[in-house]
Amino acid sequence: MELEKMGTLTASGYCGIVSHTSLKVRTGRSLSISRQEKPLTKRTHCCWLTRVFYRFLVAGFVLLIALLQFPSSASAASPDRYLVRLHFKDRSQLQTWVDNGLDVWEVHGTTALVSLGNGQRLALEAEGFSLSDVNLSARASFPACYRTYDDMLLFLHERESRYPQLLHSFDIGDSWEKQNGLADRDLYVVQLTNLENSQPKPKLFLVAEHHAREIITPEIAMDFIDDLLVNYGQDPTITWLLDNREIWVMPMANPDGYARAAQAEDWRKNANRSERCPDGSPPWSYGVDLNRNYGYQWGLDAGSSPEPCNLTYRGEAPFSEPETQAIRDLVRQQDFDILVSLHSYGRLVLYPWAHTWEPAPDAADLNALATRMAKAVGYIAEQSTGIGYMSSGDTTDWSYGELGIPSFTIEVGGGSFWPACSLKDQIYQELRPALIYAAMAADHPYEVAGGPDVRQIAVDVSEPRIAVRARISDQWTGGNAIEAAELFIETLGEPGTGIALSPSDGDCNTENEWMTTHLDDNVFMQYAGQRVPLFVVAQDATGTRGVPAIAWLDLREYMVPQSQEVTLWATDTGEPAFEIRGGYVYEGSAHNGHILMTVRDTRIYRGAGTLGELLYTLHGNQVQAGEAGPVIYTLRGNEIYDGPAANGHPIFRIENDRLTEVTGSTSEVVFTANVDLAGGTAGNAALLLPILADRRY
Ligand SMILES: [Zn+2]
């Protein structure tokens, strides 16, 4: 499947029209299709014009008599290939062309971009079709920046030795040519996860390159692997994903075919040559179309071909090929939670079914997940048949149909099977958010389907206050109003146990909201000197929660606050007069007080944080003004002196947690404290007391 669909067929599919078509297939048998098209989502957009158009199409089906018959492959022997635009009447005609082996690259409305050989061209022209030639600039090529099978092996082994805690590779089988002693290629898959975190984790499976010539897909798979490895410990989302997910990646499902593609051959299938096609030229040649060989609804003549030389030859039996057998066994064994199969090209996110126009039982949820992935990357989401024709025996129909795994075929960007080197990184970067989303959604895909996105998290730290603002949107996930959002620090908790965010405009009434929360100072004190993840999860008015977004709460630049906690109680009122907590000196209680000073190691700053004026420095038992100014207080024994003890006189006396002010010949108890003021961890606090007393009581 490598089609781009921009036309009206899919839009029409949302209208409740019944059509009956009968089409003749290549074998001469007649296949009757009865189709009831149902709305896939509640939000249908039927319009009068679409209905008229559809009636026109139905009339077209009735009139459709002459079906294209291709000559046998033997007579299509010319190696010359053409790229043409071809107008088709309806999807039934397109289906017939595809099933007969026409190499359809793109579909726009009712025009197909088709690659064909000389014999096919002559046959079409004999049928009266008008072909408009497109300059065949996109001849099969293998740009130098693309990695071969051997390059992939080196890549995987190098990464495995460099990141042994994050990546394990597995050889899950042999290619057809290896099984038959013709080459030495294995089928490799890698598991990416933080192995130190050994609890069971939800699993994503990303498989690429079922079709050999779709050479951008192994590159995307390998770029994804590198992205995860390099950004682990740097990017909060990727770090969390590798700690909490197993991401399995198979960069080359079809290494034999890829070896041909790497020779700049226009190769699609694997290299099974039990049946030979002596006169064919690629892609019309021997080999099995691996994406028609899976065992769910395998063998339908609409959507695959029984003819060995055909482009979509499905093989002798379901799972007849070693490549599909290996993937089948892996998928069954690993019990994946979500599956993505990469193809090129078309910028589409497709979901089952592919073998029928009928919607799948979970069509609404599959559509919601596909839509979310597609919208984030500028692709289009639709049922697999949205490309314009049916395909049977594909990967995703099997993994969804037999195992119930939410499964997606992504036709990536690039606009060609052989994108230039200059486009390679761009194609990956564009697709990246969809892959990340699939991994995030892997724990409960259907439950988060349609749940709102947290598009952005802004963390503003003004020591010790932290404000978190999140931009939340349901634009790509159903368009419902945002109902709630909550924040978790360090670990993602159960729903309803986080810190609630409030709408910045005071009201949750639209599909886009900024929501905010101000964190308690305790959060700063707890995490100062550290970097921990923050999670924001939002819920829309239907009660659906989306996937979390993750940002760092990065307080590494802040020194760890002092640990002692001292409360001074004013004896006349019985209220807390000052509290030293987490390195801050509050007036009143820390809970609702005003920060007078910040203590960091031996320095004391005015106000909150270390950007204020440096008021005092502690040197042993003395307090100096500023960095190294005159000594203004000294702690000696249980007395605090004004200036150096030698020439000063005590201004406070500390006895039994009571602080007594000494004024001339009289003395008065002014504070009681809840710690031993004279020593231990409260030593610094003891030195601070004169300052507090001097300035504030
Ligand atoms: Zn493909």
Side-chain angles (χ1 to χ4, degrees), residues 158-193:
E158 196 280 332
R159 296 303 186 272
E160 187 165 26
S161 63
R162 205 192 321 172
Y163 300 96
Q165 280 305 308
L166 297 176
L167 184 148
H168 269 191
S169 70
F170 300 91
D171 171 359
I172 61 166
D174 299 337
S175 72
W176 189 92
E177 287 196 315
K178 180 162 183 174
Q179 273 199 350
N180 289 273
L182 298 168
D184 184 22
R185 298 188 198 97
D186 294 303
L187 304 170
Y188 275 96
V189 63
V190 297
Q191 174 205 35
L192 291 137
T193 193

Side-chain angles (χ1 to χ4, degrees), residues 1-2 211 214 268 291 343-344 411:
M1 291 187 285
E2 52 271 346
H211 289 146
E214 296 166 15
R268 172 182 167 95
N291 208 35
H343 288 254
S344 81
E411 298 279 358

